[in-house]
Amino acid sequence: MITDKGRISEFQLAILLLPTILATSILSAPSMTMHYAGHDMWLSPLWGSFIGLVVIGISLGIHRLYPDMTMLQTSMQILGWLPGKIFGLAYLFYLPHLTGLIIREYGEFIVNNALPRTPLFVVMGTMVIVCALNVRLGIEVVGRTSQIFVTIITALLLLTFLLLIKELKPQELLPVFEDGPLPSMLGSIPPAAWFSEYIVIAFLLPYVNRKRKLGKAMIGSLLFTTITMIVTNLVCLFLIGDLTDSFAFPMLIAARYITIADFLQHIEAVIIAVWIFGIFVKISVFLYIFSTTTAEWFGLNDYKPVVAPLSFLCLAYSYWVVSGHPDVAKLLSVSGNLYTLMFLFGFPSLLYGCALVRKLLKGGGG
């Protein structure tokens, strides 16, 4: 049952996916990839992007077999009513956990770097309220706001990268493959977890009205995301070098290097602005998916009545899942990334595998 009558184009979906992946990854990924990959950290997003490619293939494959069906409807068609409901229930437990973690990461970042005297609850609560209002207005509004904000985010990131060019030291790139390709592959686990978030395509495809160039739009989105993550890692490597993994948010540290004629300084405010714009879209997307999936699971005709209580639940989860910044770091570690990959890559892969087996059995029976 489709609980929202709004529709977006395949181009809007592709644009919406960019901040959904990049909002948190451009700040945290360089530190994590440097820890495992060393000077080969710039290659890690490239390896991780293959997970994104597979997830896109799974999402489009499921949609091709069961067009215009939501993820929950698809699981019930493939697995049966009760197993499908259990499959959906697993995501009803996971989505507030993931959304709560995103909210908490946003709050910790803003309080530690921009508003140290503002209570954490106020920082997170105001963002959740604005995102809830955005979600209640429907997928069309979420899509249009993402178009506006992605334009701003792209311009601000490009400005930051251009202003940092004279500070870069390309020699930090060497040696390449000092310990072979394995470290860069281990470093690809965190980016792979972010790329697995492309599974939101499977949840949002029923709300896409034009699908003629859907595959090209999704691949274009993946390429843009991959290139942005590689460039971000290169900038941090060329600027900070071996110290990259010493900082939780290396890109913020990199922006502090910018100073032009003693009058253009404190450019880190630009990175904070990028974070706020991006996180607004990311929270809105996951809150929308959580709200529509919950409404559908309970058989409701409209998702809007559940947006406010679920927003409060996600805010509560932001306190339950972690007690402080060290716990946020743990959930963004390898174990946390594997947990994310299990839900966003593992379970959908199993579902698609079951769908293919079901199709083969039907074909054999026919």
Side-chain angles (χ1 to χ4, degrees), residues 12 52-53 55-56 78 108 201 245 252 289 301 304 321 351:
Q12 285 178 308
L53 186 63
V55 169
I56 290 172
I78 296 170
E108 293 283 350
I201 296 169
D245 63 343
L252 185 70
I289 292 171
N301 293 321
K304 292 178 183 177
V321 295
L351 184 66

Side-chain angles (χ1 to χ4, degrees), residues 4-255:
D4 185 5
K5 303 302 179 186
R7 295 293 181 270
I8 57 175
S9 67
E10 72 268 48
F11 174 73
Q12 285 178 308
L13 177 60
I15 291 293
L16 182 145
L17 290 167
L18 299 179
T20 302
I21 312 301
L22 290 173
T24 45
S25 65
I26 58 172
L27 286 182
S28 303
S31 177
M32 297 180 191
T33 51
M34 180 65 179
H35 181 72
Y36 295 100
H39 287 248
D40 294 328
M41 61 184 285
W42 62 279
L43 281 168
S44 295
L46 183 62
W47 308 139
S49 67
F50 288 106
I51 292 291
L53 186 63
V54 173
V55 169
I56 290 172
I58 290 169
S59 301
L60 298 181
I62 291 174
H63 180 72
R64 199 172 294 115
L65 293 174
Y66 300 91
D68 300 321
M69 284 191 182
T70 63
M71 191 70 159
L72 183 59
Q73 287 174 320
T74 301
S75 64
M76 291 168 65
Q77 282 283 331
I78 296 170
L79 305 174
W81 186 86
L82 183 59
K85 280 283 189 180
I86 295 172
F87 182 87
L89 186 63
Y91 280 93
L92 293 191
F93 280 104
Y94 173 71
L95 285 169
H97 190 184
L98 176 62
T99 311
L101 176 61
I102 296 166
I103 293 167
R104 185 57 180 262
E105 190 181 358
Y106 160 77
E108 293 283 350
F109 175 79
I110 294 298
V111 167
N112 290 328
N113 296 284
L115 302 171
R117 296 185 179 180
T118 305
L120 182 64
F121 178 79
V122 173
V123 172
M124 296 192 301
T126 49
M127 176 59 81
V128 170
I129 290 170
V130 175
C131 291
L133 292 172
N134 192 38
V135 169
R136 271 189 63 89
L137 292 172
I139 188 64
E140 289 183 8
V141 174
V142 175
R144 286 170 185 165
T145 52
S146 68
Q147 279 183 281
I148 296 169
F149 286 155
V150 163
T151 304
I152 298 171
I153 290 168
T154 304
L156 292 178
L157 276 178
L158 189 60
L159 173 66
T160 304
F161 292 150
L162 288 174
L163 292 175
L164 281 169
I165 285 177
K166 66 183 181 67
E167 303 288 345
L168 303 181
K169 298 187 280 286
Q171 61 268 25
E172 290 287 349
L173 188 66
L174 302 174
V176 178
F177 287 147
E178 183 180 16
D179 298 311
L182 184 60
S184 65
M185 290 182 179
L186 286 174
S188 71
I189 295 175
W194 271 295
F195 280 115
S196 70
E197 291 178 354
Y198 269 100
I199 198 62
V200 302
I201 296 169
F203 289 90
L204 297 178
L205 272 179
Y207 306 102
V208 177
N209 56 9
R210 295 197 301 273
K211 301 173 183 175
R212 193 163 51 90
K213 298 180 179 178
L214 185 61
K216 290 181 180 178
M218 297 305 100
I219 296 301
S221 174
L222 178 65
L223 283 173
F224 184 92
T225 304
T226 305
I227 291 169
T228 303
M229 290 180 71
I230 290 173
V231 170
T232 301
N233 276 16
L234 282 172
V235 167
C236 291
L237 175 63
F238 289 172
L239 199 63
I240 309 173
D242 293 326
L243 295 176
T244 301
D245 63 343
S246 303
F247 304 102
F249 307 112
M251 197 60 205
L252 185 70
I253 304 300

